[in-house]
Every structure is written in C-alpha cells, then in structure tokens.
Amino acid sequence: MNRRKFLAASAFTFFASGLSSYTQPFLFSQSKLKSKEKRSIKPKRLKEGERVGIIAPASFITEEDFEKIKVNLENIGLIAVPSKNLFKKTGYLAGADQERVEDLHEMFARKDIAGIFCARGGYGTPRILHLINYDLIRKNPKVIIGYSDITALLIAIYVKTGLITFHGPVGISTFNDFTKNYMKQILFEASDYVDLISEPETLDENEKQISSIGNEIIKISSGKAEGNLVGGNLSLLISLLGTEFDFNPENKIIFIEEVGEEPYRIDRMLTHLINSKKIGKCKAVVMGVFSNCEVKKENPSFRDSFTLREVLVDRLSFLRIPVIYGLSFGHIKNKFTLPIGVRAMIDVEKEKFALLEPAVR
C-alpha cells in the first residue's frame, strides 16, 4: 500500500482557515487535579529598569552575542547582567557542567537580580539537571525564560519546585514587536487573561517549495479544553521521559515545537509520547511551528517519505482530544511567551488559544 492510500484509509478530518477575532474567554468547569504535584509558585513580575541575569546553561555564546542581548533587553526596559562564567567554552558547551550550574545558582541567589534570561539554546541543559540545588530556586523564585534546549531546564525546575517557568525567547532571539508584546503582557503586566493570537510568518521561496504546511493552521482534531500548560521542544520532552524530571500530563495542555527533524524522526518521537501514555492522559495538544522539518528534495528518500503534515495527522488525529498545529511559537520570529504551569484554554474550531490567569504576581 503506498503512502497516499495508507493515509486515505486513516480516519481523520482537518481544516485550515483564517485567524479568529474572538476576544472573550471561554468558560469551563474546573477540574480537580488527581496528581500529587507541588503547589505552583508564581515569580514576581518584572519592572522596567530592573537588572536581569544572563546565563548560558547549554551552548556557548560570544561577547558579540552578549552585545545583541543587551540591546534586546534594553528594548523592553531591562538591564542585562552577565553571569560569572558566561563566556566560558568547553567543546560545544558554555563551560563545564558545574560552571553552568554555578551561574544558575548565582542568579537565583542574588538579591539585585529580578529575573533570568537564558542566552541561547543549542545543547547542554539535560547534563546539569541532577546538579541543581532546587531548594535554592524554590526559596528564591524568579522569572526564568528560554526555549529549545532550555526546555529541559524549565520542566525540571517546574517539576522539582512548582515554580512557574517561561517558554519564550532566549537572549539572542529576534525581539520583534509581536514577541515583545506578549513578553510584556505576561512578564510585566501580570494580565489576568491573554489572547494568544497567532500571526503567520512569510516563507522564503525554498521553504515554499518543500513545505507541506506553509503558514497554515491545521485543525487536526476539533474540540475545546482547559488545563495547565506544560511542554516545549519535542526532542527535549522525550529526553525527560522516565527520569526524575519527567512531567505529569494529567489535566494538562501539552504544547510542542521542533526544528530540523525529518518526518520519520517526528513520527518516532510522537509515537514515543503515545506509547508512554503522555498524550493519552492530557487534555489537548497544541503545536507551534515545526521549522525545517520536511525531507529535502535532494534527499534520496524524498519520494518515499511522508510529509510533515501527513505524519502529524496520521499520528495525532485518532486522539479524542483537541489537537491543533501552527500557532506562534517555536524556532520562528513571532514567539508567544508560554508559562509552564499556568491555566490556559484551547478551542480548535475557533483557533482560540488563551491564558486564563496571571503567570506572575
């Protein structure tokens, strides 16, 4: 059976349509958490003029990178303060594991530091999780933000301490108006309700030629749900399964993004989530943009490969929960700031995604 006939035989329905202008929150009944999770801790909101620590818990950065970070943070009213070991380099890492942990501890402990921005992703955070003093973090709660490889750190801190952490731009990200607007609403303004309205990004000609999705929003399974957010980069979420830093999916909306993985690898990771019962226990799956995740035309397996669209629909359409793809987070310029541990809602048919409570105090 060829792949087209195989997918035609799968039971699924999905639609793509324009963005909703609906602006009022949906009302849902509150669900009681069955899991024994640590009580959530909300960090203090950020204020203009405050100093924030810059750490590199994964790959290394240069002094030139730090200059860009300083400008990015100045543009949202913050002062960037480098950690002691920020410019260290050990292979592909930003210094030795212990040095990167020292910087994390330093910035949580310092009274003159209001929050913490991770400089970049890359690779390295899973290596340090067992070295972290989580009691220190719990006693000194602060905003900590990043994405990609930083996913492992954000989830581990949330699981171990209950501190709300933030999946959002790293220091060297593009801080455009879209990204800054959501960061301000969530980290500075402590808004009670935030509509997360996606804004499609323009694809270049090469991306258009190989993309099976483009800048569409794909409604894989309709429905609406409410639950606390948990998630991040797909491969990093997979790396936490079965560890002491593993996340509880019950009553959660799981959000996922990925970059640079071919469809068969996306298939394998989603299948791992399914087999581990993570997706079966959650309330909904909300996906951002999976950047550069198609098979390249020059690849010999191009003609025989499923597309990204086909994999997502085939692997997720059978779930009896809301599933949507293409919202504004991931390795793209237009980024939401998504608080891990905060209550949110999704209505697939209306393409409505919103936060239902403040993430900071």
Side-chain angles (χ1 to χ4, degrees):
M1 181 182 292
N2 65 35
R3 66 188 177 99
R4 300 295 178 187
K5 289 181 180 178
F6 168 74
L7 288 160
S10 297
F12 67 85
T13 303
F14 67 93
F15 305 94
S17 59
L19 293 171
S20 170
S21 59
Y22 188 82
T23 58
Q24 295 300 316
F26 244 93
L27 298 177
F28 294 85
S29 60
Q30 297 288 325
S31 298
K32 292 182 179 180
L33 290 176
K34 297 179 182 178
S35 58
K36 296 179 180 179
E37 293 189 328
K38 294 185 182 298
R39 187 172 181 178
S40 291
I41 301 170
K42 294 184 178 181
K44 289 183 180 179
R45 71 186 71 187
L46 297 179
K47 299 175 184 176
E48 289 195 12
E50 287 187 317
R51 294 155 58 87
V52 292
I54 310 301
I55 64 172
S59 293
F60 62 87
I61 67 164
T62 65
E63 294 189 28
E64 184 179 350
D65 291 328
F66 181 68
E67 292 305 310
K68 178 182 178 181
I69 292 169
K70 285 199 326 189
V71 171
N72 278 342
L73 294 183
E74 283 171 5
N75 287 336
I76 57 171
L78 298 173
I79 301 167
V81 178
S83 54
K84 181 177 66 174
N85 299 305
L86 185 62
F87 303 115
K88 294 283 183 71
K89 181 178 181 296
T90 302
Y92 41 70
L93 302 169
D97 292 349
Q98 191 58 53
E99 289 174 323
R100 303 198 313 283
V101 171
E102 286 173 5
D103 284 359
L104 177 72
H105 289 166
E106 172 200 351
M107 290 306 179
F108 268 107
R110 284 177 59 168
K111 302 303 181 185
D112 63 324
I113 297 297
I116 301 166
F117 277 70
C118 296
R120 62 162 299 184
Y123 171 71
T125 58
R127 294 173 54 118
I128 67 173
L129 301 184
H130 68 292
L131 300 173
I132 295 171
N133 182 343
Y134 293 99
D135 193 48
L136 169 70
I137 293 173
R138 184 180 56 80
K139 291 177 179 177
N140 298 275
K142 296 177 183 179
V143 165
I144 180 167
I145 184 169
Y147 82 113
S148 194
D149 193 73
I150 308 303
T151 294
L153 178 61
L154 301 179
I155 296 288
I157 290 174
Y158 173 64
V159 167
K160 288 292 191 178
T161 71
L163 177 64
I164 303 299
T165 57
F166 298 86
H167 182 277
V170 290
I172 61 171
S173 291
T174 301
F175 279 42
N176 60 12
D177 289 341
F178 181 97
T179 297
K180 288 189 292 185
N181 173 55
Y182 280 108
M183 202 183 307
K184 283 274 192 179
Q185 285 188 70
I186 294 161
L187 300 185
F188 289 72
E189 298 169 13
S191 301
D192 291 331
Y193 174 82
V194 179
D195 255 325
L196 299 164
I197 302 172
S198 292
E199 185 172 307
E201 298 195 22
T202 304
L203 299 179
D204 61 33
E205 287 306 312
N206 184 54
E207 290 173 315
K208 287 179 183 176
Q209 289 175 13
I210 64 172
S211 177
S212 61
I213 294 175
N215 56 11
E216 297 176 65
I217 289 178
I218 304 178
K219 303 173 184 179
I220 296 175
S221 293
S222 290
K224 57 188 178 183
E226 181 181 323
N228 290 352
L229 288 175
V230 68
N233 180 265
L234 178 57
S235 59
L236 271 296
L237 294 177
I238 294 297
S239 76
L240 297 176
L241 299 184
T243 72
E244 63 182 289
F245 313 105
D246 198 352
F247 61 96
N248 181 0
E250 291 184 58
N251 297 297
K252 302 292 196 307
I253 294 175
I254 296 180
F255 66 90
I256 301 171
E257 63 87 20
E258 192 50 90
V259 61
E261 301 285 3
E262 290 194 9
Y264 82 93
R265 293 175 65 88
I266 300 294
D267 185 326
R268 183 171 66 198
M269 288 187 283
L270 290 177
T271 299
H272 196 163
L273 277 183
I274 293 165
N275 289 343
S276 68
K277 311 297 184 184
K278 292 294 180 183
I279 285 182
K281 295 178 181 178
C282 73
K283 289 289 193 71
V285 177
V286 173
M287 290 176 281
V289 175
F290 286 31
S291 304
N292 192 29
C293 288
E294 298 282 8
V295 178
K296 304 297 186 294
K297 285 191 173 182
E298 59 271 21
N299 188 317
S301 65
F302 173 77
R303 294 185 63 182
D304 297 319
S305 173
F306 292 134
T307 65
L308 174 62
R309 178 192 288 256
E310 289 168 339
V311 167
L312 296 179
V313 172
D314 177 63
R315 288 285 67 207
L316 300 175
S317 63
F318 73 93
L319 300 173
R320 296 181 179 179
I321 57 174
V323 182
I324 191 168
Y325 169 89
L327 305 189
S328 287
F329 61 92
H331 288 70
I332 55 177
K333 291 181 180 178
N334 295 334
K335 290 185 180 65
F336 294 144
T337 292
L338 299 176
I340 293 171
V342 162
R343 202 153 190 84
M345 61 79 64
I346 181 68
D347 184 328
V348 171
E349 195 56 40
K350 289 183 169 64
E351 296 179 10
K352 180 163 186 59
F353 188 31
L355 304 180
L356 302 180
E357 63 173 312
V360 293
R361 53 189 170 86

